[in-house]
PDB file of all heavy atoms in Angstrom:
ATOM      1  N   VAL N  15       3.250 120.811  87.294  1.00 90.00           N
ATOM      2  CA  VAL N  15       3.528 120.477  88.719  1.00 90.00           C
ATOM      3  C   VAL N  15       2.228 120.835  89.455  1.00 90.00           C
ATOM      4  O   VAL N  15       1.746 120.204  90.383  1.00 90.00           O
ATOM      5  CB  VAL N  15       4.599 121.278  89.223  1.00 90.00           C
ATOM      6  CG1 VAL N  15       4.712 121.327  90.775  1.00 90.00           C
ATOM      7  CG2 VAL N  15       5.881 120.799  88.681  1.00 90.00           C
ATOM      8  N   VAL N  16       1.541 122.061  89.144  1.00 85.00           N
ATOM      9  CA  VAL N  16       0.319 122.429  89.685  1.00 85.00           C
ATOM     10  C   VAL N  16      -0.796 121.332  89.514  1.00 85.00           C
ATOM     11  O   VAL N  16      -1.567 120.979  90.517  1.00 85.00           O
ATOM     12  CB  VAL N  16      -0.091 123.801  89.324  1.00 85.00           C
ATOM     13  CG1 VAL N  16      -1.583 124.157  89.822  1.00 85.00           C
ATOM     14  CG2 VAL N  16       0.778 124.795  89.818  1.00 85.00           C
ATOM     15  N   LEU N  17      -0.966 120.874  88.389  1.00 85.00           N
ATOM     16  CA  LEU N  17      -1.907 119.869  88.057  1.00 85.00           C
ATOM     17  C   LEU N  17      -1.810 118.576  88.764  1.00 85.00           C
ATOM     18  O   LEU N  17      -2.599 117.931  89.278  1.00 85.00           O
ATOM     19  CB  LEU N  17      -1.903 119.594  86.573  1.00 85.00           C
ATOM     20  CG  LEU N  17      -2.663 120.688  85.670  1.00 85.00           C
ATOM     21  CD1 LEU N  17      -2.579 120.434  84.131  1.00 85.00           C
ATOM     22  CD2 LEU N  17      -4.137 120.851  86.149  1.00 85.00           C
ATOM     23  N   LEU N  18      -0.387 118.235  88.935  1.00 87.00           N
ATOM     24  CA  LEU N  18      -0.120 116.996  89.689  1.00 87.00           C
ATOM     25  C   LEU N  18      -0.406 117.240  91.244  1.00 87.00           C
ATOM     26  O   LEU N  18      -0.870 116.191  91.816  1.00 87.00           O
ATOM     27  CB  LEU N  18       1.405 116.674  89.445  1.00 87.00           C
ATOM     28  CG  LEU N  18       1.733 116.111  88.097  1.00 87.00           C
ATOM     29  CD1 LEU N  18       3.290 115.810  88.045  1.00 87.00           C
ATOM     30  CD2 LEU N  18       0.976 114.722  87.819  1.00 87.00           C
ATOM     31  N   LEU N  19      -0.097 118.254  91.731  1.00 86.00           N
ATOM     32  CA  LEU N  19      -0.255 118.492  93.219  1.00 86.00           C
ATOM     33  C   LEU N  19      -1.783 118.543  93.479  1.00 86.00           C
ATOM     34  O   LEU N  19      -2.327 117.987  94.424  1.00 86.00           O
ATOM     35  CB  LEU N  19       0.385 119.720  93.621  1.00 86.00           C
ATOM     36  CG  LEU N  19       1.945 119.684  93.678  1.00 86.00           C
ATOM     37  CD1 LEU N  19       2.533 121.041  94.192  1.00 86.00           C
ATOM     38  CD2 LEU N  19       2.289 118.608  94.612  1.00 86.00           C
ATOM     39  N   PHE N  20      -2.535 119.420  92.709  1.00 81.00           N
ATOM     40  CA  PHE N  20      -3.967 119.655  93.103  1.00 81.00           C
ATOM     41  C   PHE N  20      -4.975 118.779  92.363  1.00 81.00           C
ATOM     42  O   PHE N  20      -6.065 118.573  92.784  1.00 81.00           O
ATOM     43  CB  PHE N  20      -4.252 121.157  92.814  1.00 81.00           C
ATOM     44  CG  PHE N  20      -3.503 122.066  93.740  1.00 81.00           C
ATOM     45  CD1 PHE N  20      -2.471 122.821  93.240  1.00 81.00           C
ATOM     46  CD2 PHE N  20      -3.804 122.222  95.124  1.00 81.00           C
ATOM     47  CE1 PHE N  20      -1.727 123.622  94.115  1.00 81.00           C
ATOM     48  CE2 PHE N  20      -3.088 122.949  95.961  1.00 81.00           C
ATOM     49  CZ  PHE N  20      -2.099 123.646  95.376  1.00 81.00           C
ATOM     50  N   GLY N  21      -4.589 118.262  91.176  1.00 80.00           N
ATOM     51  CA  GLY N  21      -5.530 117.547  90.427  1.00 80.00           C
ATOM     52  C   GLY N  21      -6.547 118.412  89.647  1.00 80.00           C
ATOM     53  O   GLY N  21      -6.712 119.517  90.015  1.00 80.00           O
ATOM     54  N   ARG N  22      -7.127 117.800  88.733  1.00 76.00           N
ATOM     55  CA  ARG N  22      -7.966 118.607  87.750  1.00 76.00           C
ATOM     56  C   ARG N  22      -9.302 118.945  88.516  1.00 76.00           C
ATOM     57  O   ARG N  22      -9.770 120.058  88.375  1.00 76.00           O
ATOM     58  CB  ARG N  22      -8.358 117.826  86.486  1.00 76.00           C
ATOM     59  CG  ARG N  22      -8.518 118.639  85.363  1.00 76.00           C
ATOM     60  CD  ARG N  22      -8.536 117.816  84.086  1.00 76.00           C
ATOM     61  NE  ARG N  22     -10.111 117.748  83.776  1.00 76.00           N
ATOM     62  CZ  ARG N  22     -10.597 116.988  82.916  1.00 76.00           C
ATOM     63  NH1 ARG N  22      -9.823 116.116  82.227  1.00 76.00           N
ATOM     64  NH2 ARG N  22     -11.785 116.949  82.575  1.00 76.00           N
ATOM     65  N   GLY N  23      -9.708 118.041  89.332  1.00 80.00           N
ATOM     66  CA  GLY N  23     -11.033 118.132  89.980  1.00 80.00           C
ATOM     67  C   GLY N  23     -11.017 119.304  91.050  1.00 80.00           C
ATOM     68  O   GLY N  23     -11.897 120.042  91.329  1.00 80.00           O
ATOM     69  N   LYS N  24      -9.931 119.271  91.819  1.00 81.00           N
ATOM     70  CA  LYS N  24      -9.808 120.300  92.890  1.00 81.00           C
ATOM     71  C   LYS N  24      -9.759 121.716  92.359  1.00 81.00           C
ATOM     72  O   LYS N  24     -10.216 122.644  92.870  1.00 81.00           O
ATOM     73  CB  LYS N  24      -8.477 120.008  93.744  1.00 81.00           C
ATOM     74  CG  LYS N  24      -8.742 118.770  94.649  1.00 81.00           C
ATOM     75  CD  LYS N  24      -7.442 118.579  95.544  1.00 81.00           C
ATOM     76  CE  LYS N  24      -7.626 117.324  96.319  1.00 81.00           C
ATOM     77  NZ  LYS N  24      -6.414 117.144  97.212  1.00 81.00           N
ATOM     78  N   ILE N  25      -9.068 121.862  91.219  1.00 77.00           N
ATOM     79  CA  ILE N  25      -8.848 123.271  90.644  1.00 77.00           C
ATOM     80  C   ILE N  25     -10.259 123.743  90.211  1.00 77.00           C
ATOM     81  O   ILE N  25     -10.614 124.969  90.364  1.00 77.00           O
ATOM     82  CB  ILE N  25      -7.823 123.224  89.538  1.00 77.00           C
ATOM     83  CG1 ILE N  25      -6.375 122.977  90.259  1.00 77.00           C
ATOM     84  CG2 ILE N  25      -7.843 124.586  88.805  1.00 77.00           C
ATOM     85  CD1 ILE N  25      -5.231 122.922  89.152  1.00 77.00           C
ATOM     86  N   SER N  26     -10.964 122.843  89.576  1.00 81.00           N
ATOM     87  CA  SER N  26     -12.279 123.237  88.969  1.00 81.00           C
ATOM     88  C   SER N  26     -13.320 123.516  90.116  1.00 81.00           C
ATOM     89  O   SER N  26     -14.053 124.505  90.163  1.00 81.00           O
ATOM     90  CB  SER N  26     -12.853 122.316  88.036  1.00 81.00           C
ATOM     91  OG  SER N  26     -13.104 121.106  88.847  1.00 81.00           O
TER      92      SER N  26
END
Side-chain angles (χ1 to χ4, degrees):
V15 169
V16 167
L17 284 175
L18 287 174
L19 287 176
F20 295 107
R22 212 172 104 193
K24 288 184 183 179
I25 292 176
S26 64

